[in-house]
Amino acid sequence: MSGRPTILSVDNLTVRFDASPPFLRRVLTGARRRTVHAVEEVDFAVTEGSTFALVGESGCGKSTVARTIAGIQAPTAGGVSFMGVDIAAFRTRHAAMPYRRNLQMIFQDPYASLNPRWRVGRIVAEPMVTHGLAAPGPALRGKVSELLETVGLSTDDARKFPHQFSGGQRQRISIARALASNPAFIICDEPTSALDVSVQAQILNLMKRLQKELGLTYLLISHNLAVVAHMAQSLGVMYLGRLVERGDADQILTRPRHPYTRLLLDTVPDPHAPDRGRTRLQGEVPSPLSPPAGCAFHPRCPFAEERCTRELPSPVKVGGAWVACHAVQEDRLPHHLPGRSQGEIVSGGAT
Ligand SMILES: Nc1ncnc2c1ncn2[C@@H]1O[C@H](COP(=O)(O)OP(=O)(O)O)[C@@H](O)[C@H]1O
Ligand code: SF4
Ligand SMILES: [Mg+2]
């Protein structure tokens, strides 16, 4: 991917939420302030025309990163720069328009994000009207038909309501709407997690075709490594708000370094070795209200030592990846690597 320009850069991004009990209750009961450490010092860059995937278990902060990039959530510290402009610059609605036009989002549950009272034609037309790309009339209707056909639906579908479609078709409608403003970048937050495996593959293949034809860049968020292996050139593995490993997707999937990445990969069933891939990650993800000291993965890590419980590991470059782990730095991990090729992970299916 080198040589292509960077379209998005996320620098030292931190997002915390105040989850304190109300003031009066704190005064009366002596309860303390509580902070959710949703995202801590996350750094990555996405090159134009590529797919960068964020993976990790539920609650690790993926959607919060997405919402911050989309400008829905303000960062606590750090920043995001998109097409060379800092998102903090988009304070007014007017200034935000070119940003919004170029950056669209699709979500896990298209039903929740499609207005149930609107016909599909209006849903798909709305971004074009909002961004002044087409005035209502025959040209707009023509553009809607074109978009519906691009995503594998028909012109007649414009007259129907979202509830008249299946889950997969509804995701096609969201994609058509996302494409309507002719964006450069689409954030796809668990776009196929609610779909059956066969439908999942159709939607992912549609996304791949559109990427190629339109030169789109994707930030793909998924907890499913099979999806990531199918789609991404670069990836970041998140654990409790932090990126623990990031870099070239093929390298990380074939030669995972971080113990957490290794465990995640071990949970993917392996069709060639049915005994393998049955590992379940042991233990619960700790609460982001009080992340463990040192390396947050230490309570679950088979390689944890005393240093891990008190010192936060800084990322170091190993091969094509950045890895934040003391054991990797100290070169004391076993060289048995459970990685597999991207193709094997794709055919192995979901976690
Ligand atoms: N608006 C909010 N207020 C308080 N806590 C939040 C808010 N949004 C997210 N969180 C918390 O931040 C953490 C990360 O959430 P999220 O980004 O949705 O994770 P993921 O998408 O990886 O499942 C979770 O513990 C979640 O409960
Ligand atoms: S820093 Fe220590 S606890 Fe954290 S992943 Fe590495 S070995 Fe495990
Ligand atoms: Mg999420």
Side-chain angles (χ1 to χ4, degrees), residues 258-259 295 297-298 301 303-305 308 313 324-327 332:
H258 196 281
C295 170
F297 189 53
H298 83 252
C301 180
F303 309 106
E305 285 187 351
C308 306
C325 169
H326 294 310
R332 61 174 174 82

Side-chain angles (χ1 to χ4, degrees), residues 235-302:
L235 81 89
V237 180
M238 281 186 83
Y239 188 76
L240 265 183
R242 287 184 188 274
L243 276 180
V244 296
E245 185 159 5
R246 146 177 85 79
D248 180 78
D250 191 42
Q251 282 232 23
I252 294 177
L253 296 171
T254 50
R255 286 207 68 182
R257 316 273 177 163
H258 196 281
Y260 179 62
T261 315
R262 295 181 183 206
L263 278 170
L264 266 188
L265 270 163
D266 244 9
T267 63
V268 182
D270 183 343
H272 305 297
D275 296 346
R276 258 193 56 187
R278 289 280 152 234
T279 316
R280 283 281 138 214
L281 271 168
Q282 298 297 309
E284 295 278 304
V285 181
S287 164
L289 274 169
S290 49
C295 170
F297 189 53
H298 83 252
R300 300 167 86 188
C301 180

Side-chain angles (χ1 to χ4, degrees), residues 59 62-64 108 189-190 221:
K62 306 180 297 294
S63 294
T64 304
Q108 171 171 354
D189 191 351
E190 305 271 8
I221 291 178

Side-chain angles (χ1 to χ4, degrees), residues 206-220:
L206 169 67
M207 286 171 55
K208 270 192 139 168
R209 175 169 66 75
L210 294 171
Q211 177 167 49
K212 213 165 145 200
E213 287 174 7
L214 305 171
L216 295 166
T217 311
Y218 292 138
L219 172 65
L220 173 68

Side-chain angles (χ1 to χ4, degrees), residues 1 4-11 42-48 50-53 81 185 217-219 233-236 243 246-247 322:
M1 285 290 111
R4 297 223 203 144
T6 297
I7 183 165
L8 175 84
S9 132
V10 173
D11 302 299
V42 163
D43 262 316
F44 64 91
V46 185
T47 46
E48 218 171 279
S50 74
T51 298
F52 184 98
S81 140
F185 191 96
T217 311
Y218 292 138
L219 172 65
Q233 290 81 50
S234 310
L235 81 89
L243 276 180
R246 146 177 85 79
W322 288 90

